[in-house]
């Protein structure tokens, strides 16, 4: 099928796929618009990665806008990346991947399924990434300093709770495919590339990636080395709590790693000073997020005046002295974003997932911010771990928080606790974000950030 003919034909596919997507999309873990009705779809781009009319399976790459009207700020028209496999019938091992059978249109009677679950299609995606080049609106690129990617590696979907989808290739590489995509560079490619260029070995360096170039630029997927046998910091922390073991050495190491990553980011990407009136704007933005959160989660409402005091303190005249240095940061740092390498207790720590908080607009996520924002995220994470454990172990969290800040200071020369207003404002902002995140995604977990809200409000 020629490219032009293919585009025309592919555009005609959407109406017949729409009823299937209507059912399937809201059930996906990565679908961000849960709880709001889907009223329509529109096509952003369609590319045949493997011909749909050839023998065996076809692979269709779609960028689709999903209309969800909702009231006011609730309305959205988000763009999602879909990789749809098409076959006559599905073999039993692909049955769980079924999306449906279009009743009409060019694919009538054929079977449409989640393409990432098909090892043959997963291999095809890696094949594309091995060789830079373009296919319709898609462009495939490689890191200029990396070794060649071997071919023929079997791909399997990663079976974890995540906001996107990942494929692991032969335990050597992991490809993260972004699901809800936004125009512009995704920080999860931009920042690891900058860190690789700075020679920072705390973040797996991107090996290859692909993007869509028209009608707008979207980062769609990033391939990086798979840290085989590594364990994530969240599970290690829970393990330490369950075993009654200290986690302070690990927390100190994580503080050091955070400071290393911040130093490397500051060396590669712009830094700015935050002074009046930006300080007031920062505090006002936090206050606005608090108001929006209290609208979405009424349990927050009684706390609003006391929480707002933390943001007012940030903006108070004279606070911040000559201002605060801001730079590119991780943006959603927590224990689950850290991996300790295989090996003994002193294993190498890495940091992953630089996408930032998925619910925030991309422009906001890419803005320089005081590095204490990441520190606050990690401090909240120690609190989460201690709260999740039965019985609650506040002294475990307190020791971790102290060790983490000390580790950070050992490398950066500045202890985050010496700017208490800034740290408290960011911790409060993070806890407010977590309340909304949990209410939307894991209502059973809501008491965890609510306990922090109670504690932070009592500091006033
Ligand atoms: N380089 C890597 N090596 C090993 N495992 C990884 C690597 N990158 C990510 N993972 C695993 O994949 C999971 C999801 O990755 P993440 O980037 O956090 O995705 P998402 O943004 O979709 O939540 C992580 O929790 C981790 O278990
Ligand atoms: O990992 P993601 O980028 O998808 O981040 C989102 O999900 C996280 C949970 O998986 C959430 O983190 C919160 O829960 C963690 C425990 O599961 C805890 O360690 C974090 O401190 C807490 O914020 C994160 O906020 C959200 O953006």
């Amino acid at each position: 099928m020629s490219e032009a003919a293919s585009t025309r034909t592919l555009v005609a596919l959407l109406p017949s796929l729409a009823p299937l997507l209507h059912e399937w999309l809201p059930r996906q873990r990565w679908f961000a618009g849960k709880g709001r009705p889907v009223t329509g779809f529109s096509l952003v781009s369609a590319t045949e990665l493997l011909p749909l009319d050839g023998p065996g399976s076809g692979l269709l790459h779609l960028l689709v806008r999903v209309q969800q009207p909702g009231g006011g700020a609730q309305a959205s028209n988000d763009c999602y990346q879909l990789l749809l496999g098409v076959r006559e019938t599905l073999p039993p091992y692909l049955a769980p991947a079924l999306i449906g059978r279009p009743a009409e249109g060019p694919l009538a009677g054929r079977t449409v399924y989640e393409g990432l679950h098909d090892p043959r299609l997963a291999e095809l995606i890696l094949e594309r990434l091995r060789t830079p080049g373009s296919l319709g609106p898609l462009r495939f690129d490689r890191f200029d300093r990396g070794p060649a990617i071997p071919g023929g590696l079997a791909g399997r979907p990663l079976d974890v709770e995540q906001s996107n989808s990942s494929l692991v290739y032969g335990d050597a590489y992991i490809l993260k495919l972004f699901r809800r995509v936004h125009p512009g560079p995704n920080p999860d490619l931009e920042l690891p590339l900058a860190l690789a260029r700075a020679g920072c070995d705390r973040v797996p360096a991107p090996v290859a990636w692909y993007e869509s170039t028209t009608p707008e630029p979207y980062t769609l997927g990033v391939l990086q080395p798979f840290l085989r046998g590594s364990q994530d910091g969240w599970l290690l922390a829970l393990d330490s709590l369950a075993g009654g073991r200290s986690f302070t050495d690990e927390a100190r190491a994580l503080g050091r790693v955070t400071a290393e990553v911040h130093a490397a980011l500051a060396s590669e990407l712009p830094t700015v000073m935050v002074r009046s009136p930006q300080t007031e704007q920062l505090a006002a933005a936090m206050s606005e997020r608090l108001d929006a959160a209290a609208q979405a989660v009424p349990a927050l409402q009684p706390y609003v005046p006391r929480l707002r005091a933390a943001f007012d303190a940030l903006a108070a005249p004279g606070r911040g002295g000559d201002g605060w240095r801001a730079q590119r940061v991780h943006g959603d740092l927590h224990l689950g974003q850290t991996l300790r390498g295989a090996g003994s207790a002193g294993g190498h720590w890495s940091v992953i997932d630089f996408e930032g908080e998925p619910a925030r607009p991309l422009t906001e996520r890419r803005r320089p911010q005081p590095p204490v924002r990441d520190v606050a995220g990690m401090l909240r994470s120690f609190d989460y771990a201690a709260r999740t454990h039965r019985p609650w172990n506040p002294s475990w969290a307190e020791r971790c928080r102290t060790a983490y800040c000390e580790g950070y200071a050992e490398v950066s020369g500045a202890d985050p606790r010496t700017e208490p207003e800034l740290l408290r404002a960011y911790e409060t902002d993070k806890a407010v974000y977590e309340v909304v995140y949990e209410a939307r995604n894991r209502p059973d977990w809501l008491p965890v950030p609510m306990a922090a809200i109670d504690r932070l409000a009592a500091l006033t």
Side-chain angles (χ1 to χ4, degrees):
M1 214 183 265
S2 79
E3 208 170 89
S6 140
T7 306
R8 269 200 311 276
T9 318
L10 298 178
V11 166
L13 286 176
L14 192 62
S16 57
L17 288 174
L20 276 53
L21 297 180
H22 210 273
E23 284 292 310
W24 177 78
L25 206 55
R27 287 190 275 118
Q28 303 313 301
R29 164 73 172 84
W30 41 262
F31 183 66
K34 291 199 182 68
R36 286 180 290 130
V38 171
T39 54
F41 299 96
S42 58
L43 196 64
V44 175
S45 75
T47 314
E48 263 178 320
L49 284 171
L50 195 61
L52 302 184
D53 51 9
S57 41
L59 179 57
L60 181 61
H61 181 279
L62 293 182
L63 290 179
V64 172
R65 280 200 183 283
V66 180
Q67 285 136 27
Q68 296 193 272
Q74 286 280 302
S76 64
N77 195 15
D78 290 331
C79 183
Y80 287 88
Q81 173 177 210
L82 309 179
L83 282 126
L84 306 183
V86 178
R87 290 188 185 224
E88 296 311 318
T89 52
L90 282 188
Y93 72 91
L94 282 177
L98 177 71
I99 296 178
R101 292 182 187 81
E104 52 192 22
L107 296 179
R110 301 184 71 194
T111 307
V112 176
Y113 62 103
E114 167 57 273
L116 302 185
H117 288 242
D118 187 336
R120 181 161 169 247
L121 300 183
E123 194 181 328
L124 178 97
I125 299 170
L126 183 68
E127 218 28 61
R128 282 274 169 213
L129 286 163
R130 290 181 65 220
T131 327
S134 294
L135 180 68
L138 305 181
R139 198 179 68 213
F140 298 82
D141 259 316
R142 292 204 36 212
F143 186 52
D144 45 15
R145 299 188 211 162
I149 306 165
L153 294 174
R156 61 176 168 87
L158 187 72
D159 188 17
V160 300
E161 286 276 295
Q162 61 175 134
S163 311
N164 297 284
S165 299
S166 297
L167 289 170
V168 177
Y169 288 100
D171 283 356
Y173 297 100
I174 180 165
L175 170 65
K176 176 162 161 181
L177 300 104
F178 300 107
R179 289 302 197 164
R180 185 164 60 137
V181 295
H182 307 270
N186 188 313
D188 207 10
L189 172 62
E190 184 191 17
L191 298 189
L193 269 182
L195 289 164
R197 296 205 162 101
C200 174
D201 69 352
R202 292 299 184 178
V203 176
V207 173
W209 54 92
Y210 69 105
E211 297 158 299
S212 166
T213 49
T214 52
E216 288 175 296
Y218 290 101
T219 309
L220 299 174
V222 181
L223 184 76
Q224 56 171 240
F226 183 69
L227 305 173
R228 186 178 16 182
S230 59
Q231 291 176 285
D232 87 60
W234 171 252
L235 293 179
L236 287 168
L238 293 188
D239 204 45
S240 124
L241 275 157
R245 287 186 306 280
S246 161
F247 198 65
T248 50
D249 287 349
E250 288 84 350
R252 184 179 301 274
L254 286 168
R256 297 178 63 93
V257 170
T258 309
E260 275 179 46
V261 170
H262 281 165
L265 286 173
S267 75
E268 276 296 304
L269 296 164
T271 62
V272 296
M273 290 304 289
V274 179
R275 298 193 175 91
S276 184
Q278 290 101 324
T279 317
E280 289 83 341
Q281 287 162 3
L282 189 67
M286 288 176 171
S287 258
E288 274 169 33
R289 285 198 285 269
L290 173 60
D291 290 338
Q295 286 275 318
V297 186
L300 267 178
Q301 276 162 15
Y303 296 100
V304 168
R306 282 173 294 149
L307 293 176
R308 202 187 304 283
F311 307 142
D312 293 344
L314 190 62
R319 289 279 156 75
D322 294 334
W324 288 295
R325 197 178 46 78
Q327 62 161 92
R328 295 300 298 277
V329 297
H330 181 281
D332 190 16
L333 192 60
H334 58 81
L335 282 162
Q337 313 284 37
T338 64
L339 294 173
R340 196 177 70 188
S344 58
H348 183 87
W349 283 98
S350 301
V351 181
I352 56 166
D353 194 1
F354 282 73
E355 220 188 338
E357 288 167 3
R360 296 222 203 276
L362 192 62
T363 42
E364 193 183 312
R365 290 191 255 150
R366 294 187 63 226
R367 221 172 265 153
Q369 316 200 36
V372 74
R373 174 166 180 179
D374 284 345
V375 171
M378 196 59 105
L379 297 184
R380 289 286 314 116
S381 212
F382 294 125
D383 185 54
Y384 251 75
R387 283 266 169 199
T388 315
H389 181 255
R390 293 280 171 276
W392 175 41
N393 192 340
S395 60
W396 179 94
E398 208 37 58
R399 286 193 298 274
C400 287
R401 290 162 65 97
T402 301
Y404 179 78
C405 289
E406 287 171 357
Y408 190 91
E410 283 162 16
V411 171
S412 72
D415 190 315
R417 292 169 297 179
T418 56
E419 290 179 329
E421 286 88 11
L422 197 59
L423 188 55
R424 188 175 147 211
Y426 271 104
E427 254 200 276
T428 306
D429 190 44
K430 184 73 190 181
V432 168
Y433 164 84
E434 288 167 343
V435 166
V436 178
Y437 178 86
E438 301 300 1
R440 283 199 185 136
N441 296 287
R442 307 185 294 193
D444 292 355
W445 288 60
L446 191 54
V448 176
M450 282 307 294
I453 292 291
D454 196 58
R455 174 176 62 82
L456 289 159
L459 293 178
T460 308

